[in-house]
């Protein structure tokens, strides 16, 4: 039924205002990675409600970490890393850093010299260490010849 004696109610609504979320990767970019090395990346977040969820992702969409810092191991399939800080109220900000790779140093050592007569067969062997796969190609006047992997 209807209220015969209506009452008034005073209501106070507090609107919470937070500064925008801001995050920044602490290292300067680009990150230069060598063969088989690593770097610890960290980020600083401000604003929002000071309660954040962190996520590091790569340019392929893969999650790398969920903390303010993490150790990144050299992976040539990754060219960019993004850091996102998301506040408890759903506001977020993202920063990114480029990743570049130095080529692995290559050393060639000839252990022996040969004098080869026309039509004579020789066997050449090579070995390598470091990042796999390693490919050897032997050429004679720019035409590939038989090769053996060791």
């Amino acid at each position: 039924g209807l209220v015969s004696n209506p009452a008034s109610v005073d209501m106070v609504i507090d609107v919470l205002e937070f500064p925008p979320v801001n995050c920044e990767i602490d290292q300067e970019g680009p990150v230069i990675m060598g063969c088989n090395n690593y770097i610890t990346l960290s980020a600083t977040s401000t604003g929002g409600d000071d309660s954040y969820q962190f996520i590091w992702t790569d340019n392929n969409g893969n999650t790398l970490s969920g903390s303010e810092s993490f150790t990144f191991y050299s992976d040539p399939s990754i060219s960019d890393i993004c850091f996102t800080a998301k506040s408890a109220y759903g506001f977020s900000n993202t920063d990114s850093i480029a990743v570049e790779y130095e080529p692995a140093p290559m050393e060639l050592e000839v252990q022996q010299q040969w004098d080869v007569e026309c039509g004579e067969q020789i066997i050449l062997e090579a070995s390598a260490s470091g990042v796999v796969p390693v490919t050897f190609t032997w050429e004679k006047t720019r035409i590939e010849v038989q090769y053996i992997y060791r």
Side-chain angles (χ1 to χ4, degrees):
L2 294 176
V3 177
S4 59
N5 217 356
S8 65
V9 176
D10 290 329
M11 186 180 296
V12 176
I13 299 175
D14 289 330
V15 177
L16 301 176
E17 290 187 42
F18 297 105
V21 173
N22 185 42
C23 67
E24 187 172 316
I25 296 173
D26 297 333
Q27 289 72 25
E28 293 290 324
V31 172
I32 308 295
M33 300 296 289
C35 180
N36 293 327
N37 71 338
Y38 60 90
I39 186 171
T40 298
L41 296 173
S42 59
T44 303
S45 302
T46 58
D49 56 2
D50 290 327
S51 175
Y52 308 106
Q53 175 187 11
F54 305 109
I55 187 166
W56 293 87
T57 55
D58 65 23
N59 54 285
N60 302 308
N62 300 309
T63 299
L64 302 173
S65 177
S67 61
E68 281 185 275
S69 66
F70 85 106
T71 301
F72 173 67
Y73 292 89
S74 185
D75 179 348
S77 71
I78 297 175
S79 59
D80 287 294
I81 297 176
C82 296
F83 173 77
T84 301
K86 184 177 182 181
S87 74
Y89 290 101
F91 300 104
S92 65
N93 186 246
T94 300
D95 191 16
S96 65
I97 192 167
V99 181
E100 296 178 1
Y101 297 87
E102 292 180 340
M106 182 175 178
E107 293 182 24
L108 177 62
E109 183 178 324
V110 177
Q111 296 180 358
Q112 185 174 355
Q113 288 187 341
W114 302 272
D115 291 323
V116 181
E117 299 293 326
C118 183
E120 187 178 351
Q121 285 190 339
I122 62 169
I123 296 175
L124 302 174
E125 294 182 344
S127 63
S129 61
V131 179
V132 292
V134 175
T135 302
F136 298 99
T137 303
W138 301 100
E139 293 181 357
K140 176 181 176 186
T141 60
R142 300 192 187 263
I143 298 171
E144 190 172 320
V145 295
Q146 179 182 0
Y147 53 88
I148 301 170
Y149 293 112
R150 299 251 169 158

